[in-house]
Each structure stands twice: as C-alpha cells, then as structure tokens.
Amino acid sequence: MVDYHAVNNQGQYSAGGPPTYMEQENDWDRDLLLDPAWEKQQRKTFTAWCNSHLRKAGTQIENIEEDFRDGLKLMLLLEVISGERLPKPERGKMRVHKINNVNKALDFIASKGVKLVSIGAEEIVDGNAKMTLGMIWTIILRFAIQDISVEETSAKEGLLLWCQRKTAPYKNVNVQNFHISWKDGLAFNALIHRHRPELIDYDKLRKDDPVTNLNNAFEVAERYLDIPKMLDAEDIVNTARPDEKAIMTYVSSFYHAFSGAQKAETAANRICKVLAVNQENEHLMEDYEKLASDLLEWIRRTIPWLENRAPEKTMAEMQQKLEDFRDYRRVHKPPKVQEKCQLEINFNTLQTKLRLSNRPAFMPSEGRMVSDINGAWHKLEGAEKGYEEWLLNEIRRLERLDHLAEKFRQKAAIHEGWTDGKEAMLTQKDYETASLSEIKALLKKHEAFESDLAAHQDRVEQIAAIAQELNELDYYDSPSVNARCQKICEQWDALGSLTQNRRESLERTEKQLESIDELYLEYAKRAAPFNNWMEGAMEDLQDMFIVHNIDEIQGLITAHEQFKSTLPEANKEREAIQAIQAEVQKIANYNGIKLAGNNPYTTITPQSIDKKWEKVQQLVPQRDQALQEELTRQQSNDHLRRQFANQANMIGPWIQNKMEEIGRISIEMNGTLEDQLTHLSQYEQSIIEYKPNIDQLEGDHQLIQEALIFDNKYTAYTMEHLRVGWEQLLTTIARTINEIENQVLTRDAKGISQEQLHEYRTSFNHFDKDHSGLLQSEEFKACLISLGYDVENDKQKRTGIMDSDDFRALLISTGNSLGDAEFARIMGIVDPNNSGAVTFQAFIDFMSRETTDTDTADQVIASFKILAGDKNYITAEELRRELPPDQAEYCIARMAPYSGPDAVAGALDYMSFSTALYGESDL
C-alpha cells in the first residue's frame, strides 16, 4: 500500500532541503479510502494528462492500469516529460521482464528526489488501480506541479496563488481550494479569458449553469490552447467535492500553457527584432549591390568610348568630338561622382549598423568592393585624361595638316605654272633653220633656262618634303597629294633630261653661230634671279602662318620688318635691270638695228618685272595687316590666360585650405557630436555655395580651349587639377559628416556618454602623432594601455586618462607589452583587413562593444527552442502561429530541413539558421 500522506509530506527533498511541495488531507490519504467518484475523475484526468505527453511520441493509453503493466509506455512517458533517456527496456512478454521495466521507471522517479512509499513494481504489473493512480499522481507532482513558483511559494500553494491572482478581477469567482471553488466552471473560464479574452465572452456566462460553463471552458481549452479534456462537467457538478488531484492536474496544464505563451511571446519579440535588423541590412546590401553594379556598368561602357583613338579627317569633326567630351564632363560625369560618393556613404553606414547589431561585416560580391569601384574610377579618370590629351593633340595635328596642305597646293600651283610650256619649248627644232646669232641667242637663252631650272630645284624639293610630311602625319587626302607630287617629280626629271638633250644640240651648232648680244645676256642673267627673288617674296608674303603666343608673332613681325628693309636695295636692282634693257634699245636705235622682238636669252620682260614688283608692293601692307590682326588675337589670348590664371590661383589655395580645415575639424572635436555635425553641415553648405566660382572657372577654361590655347605661363594650376581637388573636397566633407553620423549611431546604440566619447577622442588624438586620423598597431596598443585596458586579464578596467608619469609607470609595470594573443585578437576585430592601422570609428566600436550587451546566436536559438516547445526543430505552422506573417515566411524560406534522429515531416532546422544570422556559418 502507498502512504500518500508520507509521500506528500516528506516530498522529494532530504533533511535541510526546501519545504514540501504538497500537503494532502490527512483523513483521506492516511486511510487510502478513495471515493469512487474521485477515482473515476482521477482515472479520466490522469489518462488524459498522460496522453497529452505520449502523443508527442506518437502513442497513447486507453486503460491506465492495464497499459502501464509492461512498463514500456511508463518508461516512454518519463522520457517525454523529463527530456532524458532511460535505460533500454526489456522487450520480453514474461512477468519478470515487465517487473524489470517498471522498476527501471520507479528507479528513475526516485533518482529525481521522490520518495516512493509502498509502491512496488509487482502492484503496477498486477494492474492495481489505486497503486497505479498513486504512481501517476507522484509523477504529476514531480514534473508538472513541483516547479511552479509564485512569490516564493511553490507547488500547490504557488499554483493556488497564481489562480487567485489571475481570477481576482472576475465577479462570482473566489478560488480558495482545488475542489468546490471550481464546480461552477467560472474559474476555468476566468483563467482563459484573462489570457485569451477573444476566446470567451465572459459576461454571458451564468453562475447557475455550471455544466454549460464547464463544457465551454473544456472545449475552448482543447480547441485553442491544446489542453486535452481531462474532466467531465457532469462528474464535477454531481460530486459534492470534486477530486482535488484531478482539478490540480487540469489547472496545472493551464498554468504551463499560459506561462509558455508568455515565454513564446517574449521569444517571438526577440526573434522579430533580430529578423527586422537582418531584413533591413539585407535591403541595404541589395541597394549597395545594385548601385555598385550600375556604376561599374556605366564605367565599363564609358571607358571604351574614352579609349577610342580613331582619328577624324577634318577639324570640324574633331571639334565635335571635343564638344562631346565637354558635354560628358558637364552633364554625364557629375551625377556619377555623386553616386560614387553616396555608395561609399551607404557602405560605411551599413558596416556601422552591422557592427552595432553584432553582425559580421558586409562583404560585397566579387568585383563590387569599394576598392574595386575606386580602381575602376581611377582607370576611368586615366582614360579621361588620356582622351583629352589625344583630342588636343589631334586638333593640333589637323591644324598643322591643313596648313601644310595649303602650302603644298600653293607651291605646286606656282611650280606647275612655271613648268607650263617648258617641255614644248625644249622639244622645238628652231635651231635647225636659225642663223649663228640666233643659235647663240638660243644657247644663251638655254643657259638662262638652266639657271632658272636650278633656281626652281629648291621649290621642287620643298614640295616633295611637304608631301612626305603630310604622309607621315597621316593626312586624309594623301593619295591626291602623292599623285600630284609624283607628277611634278616625273615632269621635273623629264625637264632635266630634255634640257640636257637641247644643250647638246645647241653646242653642236654653236661653232657656226656667234652673234650674241652681251647686253641681252647680262639682262637675262640678272633678271632671272631677281625674278626668282620676287616670286619667292610673293610666295612668302602670301604664306600662311600659325603661332601660339605673342613672342612667336613678334618674331614674324620682326622678320617682316627686316624684309621691308631690303626693298630699297631690291628696287635699285630692278632699276639696274631695267637700265640694261634701256641700254639695249638705245644701242639698237643708235646703230639702226631692228630688234627681232623680245630678248632672245630670257622670257622675263621688263613689263613682267614691273608687274611682279607692283604685286610685291601690294602684298607688303596686306602682310602688315595680317600680322597685326594676329598680334591682336594673341593679345586677346594672353588676356584669357591671365583671366583664367587669376581665378585659378585663388581657387587652388582655397580648396587646399578647406581640405586642411576639414582635417582639423575631424580631429579637434569641439562640442558634442551634434554640434560637430551642425558645424560640418554648415561648412558643407559654404563649400556648395562656392560652386559658382568653379563654374565661372569652367567657363573661362572653355573660352581658352575654344581659342586653341594650349599653355599658360601665369599659373601652375590646370582645370583638371582643380576639378580633381573640388571632387575630393566634396567627397571629404561628405565622408567626414558620415563618420560623425556613424559615431552618433554608435553612441545612441551603445549608450556611450559624451564624456566617454571625448575621452576616447582625446586618447586617440594624443597617440595620433602624425594627425593622419589613423593609429598604427603600436600606437593603438599604447592607447589601450593609457585607457586602463588590461588585455592580459581579458577585462576592460577603465581608470580614465593617465598623465605621462602614470603612463610611464604602467608601461614599466606591464613590461611595455600587452598579451600577444589577446592583442592579436583585438587587432583582428578593429583591423579585419590587416592594414596595420586603426580608424577612430573602429576604435570606438571596439570600446563600446566591450561594455554593451547585444543579441547573440545562442540567445536566438534559445528563443526558437521556446517557440518549438523544447524540440530540436520547429515546424512552419508553429512559426506562422508565433511570428508576424512576413517574418514567419522569411524564416520558412531560409531554414533548411531538419535531419536529426527525431525529425518529422516538415521539421525545420532553426539552429543553423540562427548561427547563420551572426555569420558563424553559411545560410
């Protein structure tokens, strides 16, 4: 026989332990006189309670005293409710096997501190109902009621106090015990309504209708709370005093259900918070990836355009290319500069949020790192600079080509005009019928022609040299130039050959002919070079010129003045030549000689000399005017140079000063972070307001380029240097503002005071000797020591900033060394890229992380375990029931199927999912 009184009063503790958790009515327990009605209630309640746990193992019982006789389901029940493994049961059918199994179960119960009195395995195997019910009641006490604690009361008293607290606000409910206080059913409905008011309309319940009240509570509990129906309303109503154990067992199920719901709500809130942070971070990561991809794609498309070096044929086409490039600079590139700056800001903000939420740093996909984007941008700017230089060089080349081509056409036209008719002259047979004087005249004329031919040799060589240069500079119309040059050279060779042949013919008959007029000969010899000089002068006076500065045009003007100074001597030579012709006429008239016509020795007539001389006189003032116009243009260009230089020499130092001031602001830390942020924002606005000066300078630069000005001796600044400086200034102020904003995020998220931030910044600046905004590893180590951070003991002991003597003493006492392993761990946190330097943001992140508690993977796993009812897996239905819809679906989509030994259909692995959230494994 079991002594319930002894069991309940002795409890499961040894002497000196906590008080017993149950006290039963002495009369009923001492005599073990179980009322039939109570036995019926216990049998139904205990059976339902056992089945509520056995269902988790996929089985149940029908008859409580029969189904536990072999000990198998009894051992299974204990394993389910304890979560522990019992010894392997014996599978035999013999009585001894059953007794051994029951003894294993009883030994397990005793190992939990429960003293079993008069309950033996034989009674259970024999199907003794009272012993079996007593044993199940002992199990319920130990595993369902013992752990209930409310305000330092436990077990029955704690459960009763919990019921009184929960039902106190409800009318007609006064819970004083676990029997008659529950007969009208209102107490059951009040418990449900207190926790789930939407399930019961309490105001419609009537105290005089207990059966309806009880059935309503039992049905709602079974349907919505997963509490099996353990009692019959009629049994409770028809019994003067319902069985206390049955009521306690049933009420304990409500306690555990609602207590678990509260834990589930807390766990769900924690998971929601963690998932919300993770979803936001994933959104930021997706935005970064898209922005980085778009920017890299734009760079990828733009670089081939900038690297295209296909030359154009004309100046107009190259000018259009230059205009397209300016449009790219003004319209297309500035938005991309802003996108690049925003991309760096977004990346830094995301990394800060990840650090604050204890998440691993974001690693963009391959090829989309900030360094990759900076590399691509650097390549773009290199291509951009090379393209601009190529454009300007091409324009210079085409300008020179146009000049050379025009010069070639002028010289070729002059030469072709000179050679016109020369072949016919050299091939005529006039010497065959001429007299001696005529032959001599023909010979002298031929000599004069040879002299003229030799004088034209330089022009032919110049024509060939210009054609060669046009070919070397890849002139687009080189074929026609080459064809014309080839024709001139072939004609020149033919003239040389014909000239030699005619000389030989004239010399054969020279002995027969001797009457040559010396004056004619002298005239011809002097007229030919003078005529050639005049043609050269006319050619030079009409020659095109190209200069790039005032010095070059002044040189041309000086040369022209020197040429004009030779005109008086040339005029004397012209008068002398004309005097020879006058002397010939005078002698002929004097001697009555009838001249045959023109001078037989030359085709140059006095009239042609005078006509060319008049042409030279006309061209000189025209050349004066052209040179003066070019001088005016070069003076205008010099004004443009000075105008650009004055503005550039002001803007360049201004940008440099602003860069230095921003560096000082980020280091000096005057006022609170908000004050610094306000100051920097105002500073940024003042920089933006300076933009019209940059635009004005761009306009001046455009005027310089349109004027084809390629140098500027008045300034060392180029527009390219100033553009780069301006873009760096905008990027630096935006990056500095972002760093302060991240410090505000860190301060607010970690609860860091302004004094702590000031202390961190003061220490950081003290050891940042070169004011670079970075601490090298040794500087960082010294800074940690100065803040009292004891890495040897893996603790942070904040003692404030040390003076120099204290710091020197600390270095001596620690051997001027932190623990190598611990310092390596710290450097791995603050410098994950192994750059050897620590930023201020990484420094305060580390210092705040050491003193702030954040969610961990273990906490999230524990929360999921509560939602899963202590299972090692969770189902989609449980997630949808406990979490908001969007976050439940988020988890379902990302959790892998659970593959443990206790897996069931649809089981999901929440452990690997939780560790993946914190970067400890791949999701």
Side-chain angles (χ1 to χ4, degrees):
M1 295 291 287
V2 60
D3 186 351
Y4 285 111
H5 182 74
V7 170
N8 293 326
N9 283 281
Q10 292 173 358
Q12 76 277 27
Y13 299 102
S14 60
T20 59
Y21 55 82
M22 277 295 296
E23 291 183 1
Q24 300 295 327
E25 288 73 4
N26 294 336
D27 294 340
W28 185 85
D29 282 333
R30 185 186 301 114
D31 300 330
L32 201 63
L33 298 177
L34 190 59
D35 184 273
W38 288 3
E39 181 178 347
K40 178 181 178 182
Q41 292 176 17
Q42 286 187 18
R43 189 185 300 272
K44 179 176 180 60
T45 301
F46 293 176
T47 300
W49 184 86
C50 292
N51 285 335
S52 69
H53 293 287
L54 288 172
R55 276 199 301 271
K56 298 177 183 178
T59 185
Q60 63 180 9
I61 61 172
E62 299 295 338
N63 189 312
I64 194 166
E65 64 267 23
E66 290 295 329
D67 292 345
F68 285 140
R69 292 179 61 185
D70 59 2
L72 296 176
K73 290 187 176 180
L74 178 59
M75 294 179 70
L76 181 60
L77 173 64
L78 291 172
E79 287 185 344
V80 171
I81 63 178
S82 68
E84 302 180 19
R85 298 291 294 178
L86 272 67
K88 185 176 181 181
E90 299 180 10
R91 296 294 180 179
K93 300 293 185 179
M94 299 177 64
R95 176 179 175 83
V96 65
H97 296 139
K98 298 177 180 179
I99 291 174
N100 288 340
N101 288 338
V102 174
N103 276 327
K104 291 177 181 179
L106 296 178
D107 291 341
F108 178 77
I109 295 171
S111 70
K112 296 302 179 180
V114 178
K115 184 178 293 184
L116 299 172
V117 180
S118 301
I119 297 179
E122 291 80 0
E123 285 84 354
I124 304 302
V125 174
D126 291 339
N128 187 314
K130 291 182 174 59
M131 293 299 174
T132 302
L133 292 174
M135 176 189 65
I136 296 301
W137 174 242
T138 302
I139 293 172
I140 293 172
L141 286 175
R142 172 60 182 86
F143 293 101
I145 300 177
Q146 172 186 332
D147 294 332
I148 297 175
S149 178
V150 178
E151 295 188 0
E152 300 183 356
T153 62
S154 59
K156 177 181 178 181
E157 291 77 6
L159 181 60
L160 183 60
L161 180 58
W162 178 79
C163 293
Q164 291 171 343
R165 291 278 180 82
K166 297 298 182 181
T167 61
Y170 294 87
K171 63 181 180 179
N172 298 326
V173 178
N174 183 17
V175 178
Q176 297 297 327
N177 50 53
F178 288 107
H179 37 80
I180 60 175
S181 296
W182 304 84
K183 284 190 64 175
D184 59 9
L186 292 177
F188 289 113
N189 284 279
L191 280 179
I192 297 174
H193 186 269
R194 181 64 181 271
H195 295 91
R196 298 288 299 275
E198 76 279 5
L199 299 180
I200 290 179
D201 187 353
Y202 185 82
D203 293 335
K204 291 184 178 180
L205 301 177
R206 303 197 332 264
K207 185 174 180 64
D208 58 359
D209 190 4
V211 174
T212 301
N213 297 340
L214 290 167
N215 284 328
N216 180 66
F218 297 162
E219 291 172 2
V220 169
E222 185 173 28
R223 178 180 299 178
Y224 299 104
L225 305 179
D226 199 25
I227 299 175
K229 185 177 181 181
M230 300 182 184
L231 302 170
D232 282 330
E234 291 77 6
D235 292 342
I236 295 176
V237 173
N238 296 330
T239 303
R241 177 182 174 184
D243 181 63
E244 186 175 47
K245 298 180 179 62
I247 297 295
M248 285 182 63
T249 301
Y250 190 48
V251 171
S252 69
S253 297
F254 282 89
Y255 173 85
H256 290 295
F258 292 133
S259 176
Q262 184 175 2
K263 293 180 181 178
E265 181 180 358
T266 302
N269 289 336
R270 179 183 292 275
I271 292 173
C272 289
K273 174 186 174 184
V274 172
L275 294 180
V277 171
N278 208 62
Q279 288 172 316
E280 180 184 2
N281 291 341
E282 286 185 356
H283 179 68
L284 290 175
M285 293 175 189
E286 292 171 357
D287 288 348
Y288 173 89
E289 291 284 346
K290 183 178 185 306
L291 189 59
S293 298
D294 293 345
L295 184 58
L296 288 172
E297 177 61 20
W298 178 82
I299 294 174
R300 185 191 65 79
R301 294 196 312 269
T302 304
I303 287 178
W305 176 69
L306 293 173
E307 291 178 344
N308 181 18
R309 299 294 187 270
E312 300 295 343
K313 295 180 179 180
T314 65
M315 178 72 76
E317 292 172 333
M318 286 306 297
Q319 288 285 4
Q320 182 58 47
K321 275 196 170 185
L322 182 60
E323 187 60 31
D324 292 343
F325 180 72
R326 290 176 183 150
D327 188 64
Y328 155 80
R329 276 269 182 79
R330 293 190 302 263
V331 179
H332 300 291
K333 185 182 178 184
K336 299 302 177 182
V337 174
Q338 293 297 323
E339 289 180 14
K340 178 176 177 292
C341 179
Q342 188 62 43
L343 187 70
E344 294 178 359
I345 291 173
N346 291 350
F347 181 83
N348 292 334
T349 301
L350 174 59
Q351 297 294 39
T352 298
K353 289 185 175 181
L354 289 173
R355 286 193 298 271
L356 294 179
S357 59
N358 200 26
R359 302 300 197 278
F362 169 56
M363 292 297 293
S365 56
E366 184 176 358
R368 293 184 176 89
M369 297 286 291
V370 172
S371 58
D372 297 327
I373 294 172
N374 288 334
W377 190 265
H378 180 72
K379 184 178 180 182
L380 173 73
E381 292 183 333
E384 179 180 319
K385 181 179 180 182
Y387 187 71
E388 184 177 26
E389 293 175 353
W390 174 78
L391 282 176
L392 297 178
N393 289 334
E394 274 298 296
I395 289 175
R396 295 191 191 100
R397 184 182 70 84
L398 289 177
E399 186 180 32
R400 175 162 178 75
L401 282 176
D402 289 345
H403 170 71
L404 288 175
E406 182 61 27
K407 191 172 184 179
F408 173 85
R409 286 190 289 269
Q410 287 184 2
K411 288 184 177 293
I414 292 172
H415 176 77
E416 288 168 347
W418 177 83
T419 59
D420 185 35
K422 293 296 187 293
E423 290 185 9
M425 180 194 72
L426 293 172
T427 57
Q428 61 184 344
K429 304 294 185 178
D430 54 337
Y431 56 85
E432 293 179 354
T433 59
S435 63
L436 178 60
S437 58
E438 291 174 340
I439 288 299
K440 286 187 175 290
L442 288 176
L443 186 57
K444 296 300 181 181
K445 180 180 180 181
H446 190 71
E447 290 176 354
F449 172 76
E450 287 180 329
S451 176
D452 197 10
L453 186 68
H456 277 78
Q457 178 68 33
D458 289 339
R459 182 176 289 112
V460 174
E461 292 175 356
Q462 290 175 6
I463 291 173
I466 293 173
Q468 178 65 26
E469 188 171 0
L470 287 172
N471 278 279
E472 291 174 354
L473 294 177
D474 196 23
Y475 181 55
Y476 77 95
D477 198 20
S478 293
S480 64
V481 170
N482 292 336
R484 192 172 184 180
C485 181
Q486 181 68 24
K487 182 179 178 181
I488 289 173
C489 292
E490 290 175 355
Q491 185 184 40
W492 183 258
D493 292 338
L495 286 176
S497 177
L498 291 173
T499 299
Q500 181 66 26
N501 293 338
R502 184 172 177 79
R503 168 173 282 281
E504 292 173 357
S505 298
L506 290 174
E507 287 178 350
R508 284 195 300 268
T509 59
E510 184 180 11
K511 294 179 181 180
Q512 304 171 7
L513 304 172
E514 293 180 320
S515 183
I516 302 299
D517 192 339
E518 293 295 333
L519 290 174
Y520 272 140
L521 182 58
E522 182 181 359
Y523 174 90
K525 288 183 177 181
R526 294 183 68 174
F530 183 73
N531 182 73
N532 190 59
W533 175 87
M534 286 192 297
E535 289 180 349
M538 288 188 294
E539 182 179 340
D540 291 340
L541 291 171
Q542 298 177 82
D543 189 15
M544 294 179 62
F545 57 84
I546 178 171
V547 295
H548 297 94
N549 52 57
I550 292 179
D551 293 339
E552 292 179 1
I553 189 62
Q554 288 288 4
L556 290 178
I557 291 174
T558 301
H560 183 62
E561 293 298 327
Q562 292 175 354
F563 168 75
K564 289 195 296 183
S565 66
T566 63
L567 290 179
E569 288 296 326
N571 188 43
K572 290 180 180 179
E573 177 66 12
R574 179 186 68 82
E575 291 174 349
I577 293 172
Q578 296 291 43
I580 293 173
Q581 181 64 26
E583 183 67 19
V584 169
Q585 189 66 39
K586 180 180 178 181
I587 294 173
N589 293 336
Y590 180 79
N591 296 299
I593 298 173
K594 185 177 181 180
L595 298 175
N598 296 329
N599 191 320
Y601 303 114
T602 181
T603 59
I604 301 173
T605 65
Q607 294 78 11
S608 65
I609 290 176
D610 289 341
K611 184 176 180 181
K612 290 179 180 179
W613 179 255
E614 291 175 359
K615 181 66 175 177
V616 169
Q617 295 296 322
Q618 293 172 0
L619 291 175
V620 168
Q622 294 176 7
R623 185 71 168 185
D624 287 334
Q625 181 180 357
L627 290 173
Q628 288 301 320
E629 290 175 353
E630 181 62 26
L631 177 62
T632 301
R633 190 176 75 87
Q634 289 300 325
Q635 289 172 341
S636 174
N637 289 351
D638 198 61
H639 172 72
L640 290 177
R641 289 188 183 96
R642 293 177 183 272
Q643 179 176 318
F644 176 85
N646 291 337
Q647 191 74 358
N649 291 336
M650 176 183 67
I651 292 176
W654 183 88
I655 291 176
Q656 182 63 32
N657 290 337
K658 293 301 178 183
M659 290 290 287
E660 294 173 356
E661 290 174 7
I662 292 172
R664 289 196 299 272
I665 290 173
S666 65
I667 291 175
E668 291 174 356
M669 197 182 74
N670 293 322
T672 65
L673 291 180
E674 287 73 9
D675 294 339
Q676 296 175 43
L677 197 58
T678 300
H679 187 195
L680 284 173
S681 299
Q682 295 171 351
Y683 207 80
E684 181 183 34
Q685 184 61 34
S686 68
I687 292 174
I688 294 173
E689 291 173 354
Y690 197 77
K691 182 64 165 58
N693 295 307
I694 303 298
D695 297 337
Q696 179 182 350
L697 191 65
E698 286 283 4
D700 294 343
H701 180 65
Q702 182 174 347
L703 293 177
I704 284 179
Q705 288 193 326
E706 290 173 353
L708 300 178
I709 300 173
F710 305 111
D711 57 352
N712 194 338
K713 64 182 180 180
Y714 302 111
T715 180
Y717 294 103
T718 67
M719 195 64 230
E720 176 64 25
H721 294 155
L722 295 176
R723 285 194 199 103
V724 172
W726 176 254
E727 292 171 359
Q728 289 178 347
L729 179 62
L730 293 177
T731 301
T732 299
I733 185 66
R735 184 182 297 113
T736 303
I737 290 175
N738 179 247
E739 288 176 356
I740 300 299
E741 290 173 342
N742 286 339
Q743 292 177 26
V744 172
L745 285 175
T746 302
R747 181 199 66 189
D748 295 342
K750 302 296 186 177
I752 301 174
S753 66
Q754 185 66 32
E755 291 73 15
Q756 286 178 306
L757 280 177
H758 186 273
E759 180 183 358
Y760 294 156
R761 171 56 82 179
T762 302
S763 298
F764 189 90
N765 290 346
H766 176 76
F767 290 97
D768 183 14
K769 301 301 182 181
D770 57 357
H771 304 293
S772 63
L774 298 172
L775 291 182
Q776 301 303 315
S777 60
E778 290 303 319
E779 294 175 338
F780 176 59
K781 181 188 291 185
C783 184
L784 287 181
I785 295 175
S786 74
L787 287 171
Y789 191 91
D790 186 0
V791 182
E792 292 287 352
N793 297 323
D794 194 17
K795 295 180 180 178
Q796 186 179 18
K797 299 177 181 178
R798 301 299 314 282
T799 60
I801 301 300
M802 299 182 180
D803 59 26
S804 59
D805 292 335
D806 291 339
F807 179 53
R808 189 178 300 108
L810 178 61
L811 290 180
I812 295 172
S813 65
T814 59
N816 196 19
S817 172
L818 298 177
D820 292 339
E822 179 61 18
F823 185 68
R825 179 189 73 82
I826 294 175
M827 285 301 293
I829 295 173
V830 299
D831 183 23
N833 296 325
N834 294 325
S835 64
V838 180
T839 65
F840 179 66
Q841 183 63 40
F843 174 68
I844 63 173
D845 283 347
F846 169 74
M847 296 304 295
S848 61
R849 183 182 305 161
E850 295 296 309
T851 59
T852 303
D853 183 25
T854 56
D855 293 322
T856 65
D858 290 339
Q859 290 176 327
V860 175
I861 291 173
S863 297
F864 272 117
K865 192 173 186 69
I866 292 173
L867 296 187
D870 290 335
K871 300 191 297 294
N872 292 327
Y873 60 84
I874 195 167
T875 64
E877 291 75 8
E878 290 170 332
L879 288 171
R880 292 189 177 103
R881 184 179 68 234
E882 301 295 347
L883 298 180
D886 60 332
Q887 296 186 341
E889 297 304 325
Y890 177 85
C891 293
I892 293 170
R894 287 164 173 76
M895 283 187 182
Y898 178 70
S899 59
D902 53 343
V904 298
L908 300 175
D909 187 353
Y910 61 77
M911 293 186 182
S912 60
F913 171 76
S914 300
T915 55
L917 287 177
Y918 290 85
E920 298 177 19
S921 66
D922 292 332
L923 185 59

